[in-house]
């Protein structure tokens, strides 16, 4: 048999005595014992651990990766990934290090399993909040989830997510992992630089992207420089209500550069917001008659502008009425921002992307898609330069701080740097799109003595976009694990046709220097998830069942009108038939509902089961209705019984041995 030696790859492992590492050492010892006993039975994948390793041709690294990620049945993951669901319009919840997908959260897109947008009035009301000028928009391109924070650390209460396509932001309550609210940005048809939260979640940042006239009213594109504008919106979050409060929110008009990502300052830079931009060239696209395409036209200059925004001061200006009204929404005019010193620019090299604030809030890290460096700006230097008074302005009159005055360091990493996260060892990790790699580099003082240098890279497969380390964009990153969000997965998985999945790769970053190990590949098969945040699982405290029978997830309280056991009934009032129905394993009460064609039907449900996981469905074929009623939950559907006939409803969750008997008749007399 093939003999493999433990620890051959990286002497000195494990370096840190995390629980997982201790468990791994024990497991490795068992495997070693099995190996040394040499009692392989050969032939196929059976026998003890060493036989299996040999039969499957697993290397030491493979075995180590398996031991780092294997999570026995019943054992929960240490971390939870909150991932955007890309153009599925949803959010994914994934355990780490097992990389098991735990659930999707329906957000902007109807989703039948969760009964999201299939008759349930409360869910349709949330989806309708995302309508754009009355038009139903039933897909979204979710980009950046933002977990709520307290003092710059994830607090496990809420998560926000933006829809790049529709310029919308959603609020998800992490007590039940359900979407509670969608707000449509009133002044921008699309967005990109959202969502990001301020350290105590007072504000949710939604930055724009492709400039249009504010409110996307028509203006000829020849008037681009004068009439088209960028924007950043600050949504005020009411934590007690668990909702964004549009009446306390405002936006800032920006020059028609294409604002890209943003991040909120923290600790020393708390109260400031940083957004990068591209297309300061003001390119407006090639036409059939010629001209430069955007990819060239928007990349011609050597620099674009980092936007440095004094959010606290901007909020004061907005509260004092220093705004104009665009589609009913308060917007601070660009000239007011200039006059009040709310906005400064700093040049950023070559098609910048990503703006990530270091854990202490002291440094701002910008990547340049076409520049092999990350550029690190000092918040202190930026403040000093603002204090000194910049002498230059851009064509719109916005003061420009020189790069030399603001820059702390540049570190050459490789080709196509995009995004940066941090760990607890004073390292930054930056995705390299063109190199298909993750670079680890050290921050300088006060993070590491020997800083501002590349430590090593690890290849990823392939074309990495975002990157996430455990709690890696907070004031206290955990390190230990990194997830690479790779756009391409060519050759990694069986190709089920020409459309390939995205590939999330889990990387062990507990070592130092160039010591990083790829542990696991997770194909994501239903969209292009864009960014994830990784929260320690013990910070989450979700409901196991709804706390009381008759609980309404929309209000997070008991609905007094919820059907109660023993009080089920059907009432007719003119042409309206109202039903109060309960569900319990394994029957509905009542099991027959008879109406006349044309009646208005208002149908209330309560799942009166209290056992965890005893979810019931209500599927009414022909009427496009499906509900998911979790233990304790109440919901209402309303529809016109416009088709006559005999319709059978049934429970669409396999809830019990007599689940097939959980059904009923809906009779609509012509
Ligand atoms: S940014 S293209 Cu998250 Cu790299 Cu959207
Ligand atoms: Cu209830 Cu199946």
């Amino acid at each position: 048999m093939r003999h493999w030696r433990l620890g051959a790859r990286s002497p000195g492992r494990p370096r840190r005595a995390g629980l997982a590492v201790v468990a791994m050492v024990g497991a490795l010892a068992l495997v070693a014992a099995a190996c040394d006993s040499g009692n392989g039975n050969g032939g196929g994948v059976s026998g003890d651990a060493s036989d299996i390793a040999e039969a499957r041709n697993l290397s030491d690294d493979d075995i180590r990766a398996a031991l780092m990620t294997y999570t026995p049945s019943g054992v929960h993951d240490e971390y939870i990934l909150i991932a955007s669901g890309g153009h599925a319009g949803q959010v994914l919840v994934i355990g780490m290090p097992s990389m098991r997908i735990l659930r999707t959260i329906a957000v902007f897109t109807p989703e039948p399993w969760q009964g999201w947008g299939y008759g349930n009035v409360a869910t349709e009301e949330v989806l309708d909040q995302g309508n754009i000028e009355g038009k139903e928009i039933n897909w979204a391109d979710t980009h950046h989830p933002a977990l709520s924070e307290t003092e710059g650390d994830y607090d496990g209460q809420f998560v926000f997510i933006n829809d790049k396509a529709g310029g919308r932001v959603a609020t998800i309550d992490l007590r039940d992992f359900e979407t509670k609210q969608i707000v449509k940005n009133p002044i921008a048809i699309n967005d990109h630089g959202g969502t990001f939260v301020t350290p105590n979640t007072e504000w949710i940042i939604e930055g724009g992207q492709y400039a249009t006239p504010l409110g996307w009213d028509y203006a000829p594109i020849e008037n681009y420089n004068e009439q088209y504008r960028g924007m950043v919106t600050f949504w005020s979050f009411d934590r007690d209500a668990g909702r964004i409060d549009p009446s306390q929110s405002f936006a800032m008009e920006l020059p028609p550069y294409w604002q890209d990502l943003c991040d909120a300052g923290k600790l020393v830079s708390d109260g400031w917001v940083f957004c990068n931009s591209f297309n300061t060239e003001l390119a407006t696209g090639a036409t059939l008659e010629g001209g430069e395409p955007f990819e060239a036209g928007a990349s011609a200059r050597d620099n674009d502008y980092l936007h440095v925004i004094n959010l606290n001061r901007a909020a004061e200006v907005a509260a004092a009425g220093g705004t104009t009204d665009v589609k009913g929404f308060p917007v601070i005019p660009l000239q007011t921002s200039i006059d009040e010193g709310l906005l400064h620019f700093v040049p950023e090299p070559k098609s910048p992307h990503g703006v990530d604030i270091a854990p202490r809030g002291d440094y701002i890290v910008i990547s340049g898609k076409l520049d092999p460096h990350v550029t690190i700006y000092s918040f202190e230097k930026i403040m000093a330069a603002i204090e000194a008074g910049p002498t230059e302005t851009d064509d719109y009159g916005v003061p420009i701080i020189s790069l030399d005055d603001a820059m702390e360091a540049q570190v050459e990493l490789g080709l196509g740097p995009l995004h940066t996260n941090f760990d607890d060892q004073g390292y930054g990790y930056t995705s390299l799109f063109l190199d298909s790699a993750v670079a680890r580099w050290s921050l300088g003082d006060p993070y590491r003595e020997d800083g501002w240098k590349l430590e090593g890279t690890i290849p990823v497969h392939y074309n990495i976009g975002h990157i996430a380390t455990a709690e890696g964009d907070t004031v206290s990153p955990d390190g230990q694990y990194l997830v690479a969000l790779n756009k391409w997965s060519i050759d990694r998985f069986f190709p089920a046709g020409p459309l390939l999945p995205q590939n999330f790769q889990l990387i062990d970053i507990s070592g130092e220097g160039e010591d990083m190990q790829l542990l696991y590949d997770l194909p994501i098969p239903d969209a292009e998830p864009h960014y994830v945040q990784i929260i320690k699982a013990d910070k989450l405290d979700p409901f196991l069942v709804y706390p009381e029978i008759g609980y309404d997830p929309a209000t997070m309280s008991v609905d007094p009108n919820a059907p109660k056991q023993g009080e089920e009934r059907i009432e007719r009032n003119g042409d309206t038939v109202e039903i109060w129905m309960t569900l319990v394993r394994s029957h509905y009460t009542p099991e027959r509902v008879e109406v006349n064609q044309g009646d208005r039907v208002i149908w209330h449900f309560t799942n009166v089961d209290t056992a965890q996981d005893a979810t019931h469905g209500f599927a009414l074929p022909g009427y496009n209705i499906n509900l998911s009623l979790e233990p304790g939950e109440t919901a209402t559907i309303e529809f016109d019984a416009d088709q006559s006939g005999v319709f059978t409803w049934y429970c669409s969750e396999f809830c019990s041995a007599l689940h097939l008997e959980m059904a009923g008749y809906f009779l609509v007399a012509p």
Side-chain angles (χ1 to χ4, degrees):
M1 69 180 287
R2 185 173 63 108
H3 283 273
W4 36 272
R5 284 276 164 263
L6 299 168
R9 172 187 160 268
S10 47
R13 273 183 190 283
R15 293 191 174 82
R16 295 177 344 131
L19 265 183
V21 175
V22 172
M24 183 198 84
V25 172
L28 278 173
L30 285 176
V31 176
C35 180
D36 289 345
S37 72
N39 61 344
N41 57 7
V45 184
S46 63
D48 65 21
S50 62
D51 298 330
I52 294 167
E54 184 178 2
R56 299 193 66 207
N57 203 20
L58 301 181
S59 68
D60 287 357
D61 277 355
D62 296 334
I63 292 163
R64 184 177 183 279
L67 293 173
M68 288 286 288
T69 54
Y70 174 70
T71 305
S73 181
V75 176
H76 292 193
D77 281 294
E78 187 182 357
Y79 286 97
I80 297 298
L81 265 67
I82 304 289
S84 73
H87 19 35
Q90 298 170 344
V91 165
L92 302 173
V93 183
I94 300 168
M96 185 181 87
S98 75
M99 304 307 278
R100 297 177 295 202
I101 299 179
L102 304 176
R103 73 168 283 183
T104 57
I105 304 170
V107 185
F108 295 102
T109 306
E111 201 288 316
W113 166 57
Q114 292 159 81
W116 188 253
Y118 290 92
N120 181 330
V121 169
T123 69
E124 290 185 344
E125 279 174 4
V126 174
L127 285 165
D128 284 348
Q129 293 168 5
N131 292 352
I132 300 181
E133 293 181 341
K135 189 169 185 64
E136 180 188 310
I137 307 295
N138 57 16
W139 78 285
D141 186 8
T142 54
H143 263 228
H144 307 105
L147 285 155
S148 58
E149 295 180 7
T150 299
E151 294 180 1
D153 232 332
Y154 302 151
D155 56 36
Q157 294 185 2
F158 298 94
V159 64
F160 309 95
I161 186 131
N162 70 311
D163 163 27
K164 171 176 167 153
R168 300 179 294 176
V169 171
T171 306
I172 297 163
D173 191 324
L174 292 176
R175 282 176 292 177
D176 62 354
F177 285 70
E178 290 210 355
T179 305
K180 304 300 176 186
Q181 177 186 33
I182 294 173
V183 289
K184 167 69 196 115
N185 194 300
I187 65 167
I189 188 67
N190 63 78
D191 71 24
H192 184 241
T195 51
F196 301 91
V197 299
T198 51
N200 285 301
T201 322
E202 304 94 334
W203 300 101
I204 297 143
I205 302 163
E206 183 191 15
Q209 182 123 88
Y210 307 118
T212 66
L214 291 184
W216 68 95
D217 286 339
Y218 177 78
I221 199 154
E222 290 71 26
N223 299 357
Y224 187 88
N225 296 5
E226 301 78 40
Q227 285 187 276
Y228 286 48
R229 286 295 178 266
M231 71 90 199
V232 58
T233 295
F234 299 105
W235 293 106
S236 173
F237 183 59
D238 180 342
R239 197 187 281 262
D240 292 335
R243 299 286 189 278
I244 286 168
D245 181 355
S247 76
Q248 299 300 310
S249 306
F250 69 98
M252 288 172 71
E253 177 191 13
L254 298 172
Y257 311 142
W258 290 356
Q259 283 77 30
D260 199 24
L261 286 170
C262 300
D263 201 0
K266 51 197 171 209
L267 299 175
V268 291
S269 53
D270 192 357
W272 293 76
V273 167
F274 307 87
C275 302
N276 59 4
S277 65
F278 59 110
N279 197 18
T280 51
E281 294 83 354
L282 304 172
T284 55
T287 65
L288 294 177
E289 293 77 44
E292 276 189 316
F294 280 121
E295 60 176 326
S299 311
R301 294 182 69 218
D302 283 338
N303 291 297
D304 293 288
Y305 295 126
L306 173 66
H307 294 37
V308 178
I309 296 166
N310 187 338
L311 170 57
N312 283 352
R313 180 82 192 101
E316 287 169 13
V317 168
T323 54
T324 52
D325 194 273
V326 179
K327 287 200 170 160
F329 197 70
V331 180
I332 299 177
L334 182 55
Q335 192 57 50
T336 303
S337 292
I338 295 167
D339 296 343
E340 298 286 336
L342 309 181
L343 177 66
H344 290 80
F345 287 159
V346 191
E348 36 183 14
K350 267 314 203 196
S351 299
H353 194 67
V355 43
D356 297 288
I357 314 293
R360 296 170 191 248
D362 44 2
Y363 296 124
I364 301 130
V365 180
I366 307 276
S367 299
K369 288 174 290 197
L370 304 179
D371 182 277
H373 300 88
V374 280
T375 302
I376 297 104
Y377 299 78
S378 155
F379 178 71
E380 201 181 312
K381 288 181 181 176
I382 290 174
M383 289 303 106
I386 290 176
E387 193 67 32
T391 50
E392 229 193 309
T393 67
D394 79 336
D395 290 346
Y396 291 89
V398 179
I400 301 174
I401 296 163
S402 80
L403 181 57
D404 283 349
D405 285 347
M407 194 174 83
E408 182 72 22
Q410 281 189 315
V411 184
E412 183 167 344
L413 300 181
L415 298 181
L418 293 183
H419 297 284
T420 300
N421 258 207
F422 305 91
D423 73 2
D424 56 343
Q425 304 192 77
Y427 291 133
Y429 298 83
T430 300
S431 50
L432 301 176
F433 180 85
L434 296 174
D435 277 347
S436 283
V438 171
R440 168 191 265 163
W441 52 279
S442 44
L443 283 85
D445 187 51
Y447 294 86
R448 287 182 79 91
E449 281 177 4
D450 54 345
W452 308 134
K453 68 173 201 290
L454 176 66
E455 299 280 343
T457 58
I458 179 170
V460 293
H461 314 90
Y462 300 91
N463 295 11
I464 181 174
H466 273 276
I467 199 169
T469 53
E471 308 217 344
D473 56 10
T474 70
V475 294
S476 60
D478 287 7
Q480 190 169 351
Y481 297 110
L482 178 149
V483 174
L485 284 73
N486 306 319
K487 310 294 184 189
W488 285 27
S489 66
I490 178 171
D491 81 20
R492 292 294 101 169
F493 310 108
F494 171 79
L499 178 62
L500 303 188
Q502 313 285 303
N503 186 13
F504 281 18
Q505 288 188 307
L506 178 67
I507 295 169
D508 174 13
I509 55 164
S510 58
E512 289 181 49
E514 57 183 11
D515 178 11
M516 294 176 273
Q517 191 194 349
L518 179 59
L519 299 178
Y520 196 84
D521 283 8
L522 169 68
I524 299 281
D526 61 354
E528 192 224 304
H530 202 83
Y531 181 47
V532 308
Q533 287 184 325
I534 304 173
I535 182 173
K536 198 86 190 299
D538 63 15
K539 284 186 174 175
L540 297 163
D541 187 20
F543 291 159
L544 303 181
V545 297
Y546 280 107
E548 290 175 76
I549 303 283
Y551 215 75
D552 178 0
T555 61
M556 287 301 227
S557 61
V558 171
D559 176 358
N561 189 41
K564 295 175 188 60
Q565 243 175 338
E567 295 177 25
E568 299 90 344
R569 62 199 186 277
I570 301 172
E571 286 177 7
R572 173 174 285 281
N573 192 343
D575 289 340
T576 299
V577 178
E578 194 160 0
I579 304 123
W580 285 263
M581 170 178 278
T582 61
L583 300 80
V584 71
R585 276 165 294 169
S586 308
H587 60 269
Y588 297 92
T589 307
E591 291 183 327
R592 257 180 11 217
V593 172
E594 298 183 47
V595 303
N596 297 321
Q597 188 172 13
D599 281 344
R600 182 75 184 159
V601 178
I602 303 173
W603 201 324
H604 311 282
F605 304 81
T606 304
N607 177 356
V608 299
D609 261 307
T610 53
Q612 191 182 359
D613 213 359
T615 296
H616 299 290
F618 177 84
L620 183 59
Y623 278 90
N624 199 32
I625 283 166
N626 189 46
L627 304 182
S628 170
L629 293 147
E630 285 109 66
E633 181 174 353
T634 188
T636 293
I637 59 176
E638 272 191 55
F639 60 98
D640 293 324
D642 47 14
Q643 302 171 68
S644 68
V646 176
F647 300 87
T648 52
W649 81 72
Y650 70 98
C651 173
S652 50
E653 279 282 329
F654 207 122
C655 54
S656 65
L658 298 178
H659 152 79
L660 291 182
E661 286 77 357
M662 194 166 172
Y665 279 100
F666 179 55
L667 300 118
V668 185

